[in-house]
Amino acid sequence: GPSAFVTGWPIKHSRSPLIHGHWLKCYGLSGGYEKVATEPDAFVNFITHLNQSGFIGGNVTLPHKETTFQCADVSTPTAERLKAANTVWLQNGQLHADNTDGYGFLANLDQTLPGWDTTDRLHRPCLILGAGGASRAIVDALSNRGFSKIVLANRTLARAETLLDEIAPTGTAISLNDTQKMLGEAGVIVNTTSMGMDGNGLPILMDGIYPKALVTDIVYTPLTTPFLRAAAAQNIETVDGLGMLLHQAVPGFERWFGVRPKVGSELRQLIVNDLKRPQT
Ligand code: ATR
């Protein structure tokens, strides 16, 4: 059957083979999905010669997302806006590229908390912490969903300003140190920074948070980050970041294997169990 890949550098810890392997088995498909480690120096050669490798497409992760977009013959409007791609497929010998990170972010919220994007929340400031690649996709997704008051907080203010210039020019950039002031107002709060991994917390207190806010984190190691735990302690609605990983995989699987897969509790449990394994 058809074969797809996930490539990055490093790629050892990727859970994508577990996700796609689960769906291939579930839907009784004969395809394959495997990890391919690609060093930065070898990446352009790999991605531009996919047709010779036997792969029909695949996922691309750090640090190759920007290069993938640059090498693509055809990009979706989303990948064009983000100038980065995480999903590729071959069609008539041409390399097509999409970016499904923003889709995955929204689909996770849509499935976990249907109706989460209330009029009240849409009209309030939407506070996003962090200005890296993931933030770029999430800011884009949230502004396209109708959140018109984007506030982007980052340790390095200039990086937040640049991101907004390119993705959401009506947004406001603030310093991470000034986020506390937004907490009483923001309707949706998203952590995209790596803080929260390995038990490190963000310098933000949840006291005085808007009671009907939604708090979500894209970090899923641990599943309940200190940020989410602090919000939940104030009885705030929270959504963890694992669902974004699962949902971003959906469009690629459908492209390669012809079935739009469901993100179900079995799949989630499979990955949760894998996250509990000691990492080498
Ligand atoms: P990704 O592409 O995965 O989103 P990234 O580009 O490495 O990740 O960005 C990481 C984000 O976490 C950035 O917003 C970074 O802030 P800076 O732009 O100021 O570097 C933020 N970050 C990482 N460690 C941080 C820390 N100790 N304190 C505050 N912010 C941190």
Side-chain angles (χ1 to χ4, degrees):
S3 199
F5 62 85
V6 58
T7 190
W9 186 261
I11 199 61
K12 206 167 57 189
H13 299 296
S14 173
R15 266 84 188 199
S16 291
L18 269 179
I19 299 171
H20 292 280
H22 172 81
W23 285 331
L24 284 168
K25 202 171 78 182
C26 266
Y27 296 103
L29 301 169
S30 64
Y33 187 99
E34 61 183 85
K35 285 177 203 172
V36 177
T38 314
E39 281 185 72
D41 283 351
F43 185 74
V44 170
N45 185 54
F46 171 79
I47 204 75
T48 55
H49 294 88
L50 269 192
N51 41 348
Q52 287 154 35
S53 65
F55 289 116
I56 54 165
N59 288 122
V60 178
T61 187
L62 305 182
H64 302 317
K65 292 184 182 188
E66 286 80 14
T67 311
T68 300
F69 165 73
Q70 288 160 10
C71 291
D73 300 305
V74 184
S75 288
T76 62
T78 309
E80 292 280 355
R81 288 194 304 276
L82 300 177
K83 308 230 171 305
N86 72 339
T87 303
V88 299
W89 63 98
L90 289 170
Q91 206 172 301
N92 303 323
Q94 292 198 298
L95 184 66
H96 288 245
D98 189 13
N99 192 311
T100 68
D101 286 334
Y103 163 81
F105 174 79
L106 292 180
N108 179 33
L109 296 181
D110 289 341
Q111 182 171 313
T112 311
L113 284 179
W116 65 274
D117 50 347
T118 59
T119 311
D120 176 52
R121 285 179 178 152
L122 283 166
H123 288 153
R124 286 173 170 275
C126 181
L127 177 62
I128 297 128
L129 313 177
S135 170
R136 203 174 157 86
I138 288 167
V139 167
D140 182 64
L142 287 168
S143 34
N144 287 320
R145 181 56 76 93
F147 290 88
S148 52
K149 293 183 187 164
I150 299 284
V151 178
L152 185 58
N154 201 44
R155 174 178 61 183
T156 313
L157 184 63
R159 205 173 172 205
E161 288 169 341
T162 304
L163 190 158
L164 289 177
D165 280 346
E166 295 174 15
I167 303 293
T170 60
T172 308
I174 66 172
S175 159
L176 196 59
N177 297 320
D178 294 331
T179 32
Q180 196 68 50
K181 301 171 190 152
M182 294 301 306
L183 246 58
E185 264 202 274
V188 173
I189 304 171
V190 186
N191 176 45
T192 78
T193 73
S194 44
M195 301 187 75
M197 286 180 153
D198 316 314
N200 293 311
L202 282 145
I204 293 162
L205 296 168
M206 294 291 178
D207 311 64
I209 187 172
Y210 173 55
K212 287 190 272 184
L214 164 61
V215 174
T216 184
D217 201 322
I218 70 161
V219 171
Y220 54 86
T221 50
L223 217 43
T224 305
T225 61
F227 187 63
L228 292 178
R229 191 183 305 286
Q234 306 283 329
N235 287 312
I236 297 299
E237 259 186 327
T238 60
V239 177
D240 68 55
L242 181 54
M244 177 178 171
L245 173 74
L246 306 179
H247 282 277
Q248 63 78 33
V250 167
F253 188 92
E254 184 180 27
R255 285 274 178 206
W256 312 316
F257 305 117
V259 175
R260 191 162 186 93
K262 295 257 182 307
V263 173
S265 53
E266 249 189 83
L267 173 61
R268 185 178 159 92
Q269 196 55 53
L270 179 78
I271 307 303
V272 167
N273 290 343
D274 190 68
L275 294 172
K276 288 178 192 153
R277 289 176 44 235
Q279 292 306 301
T280 47

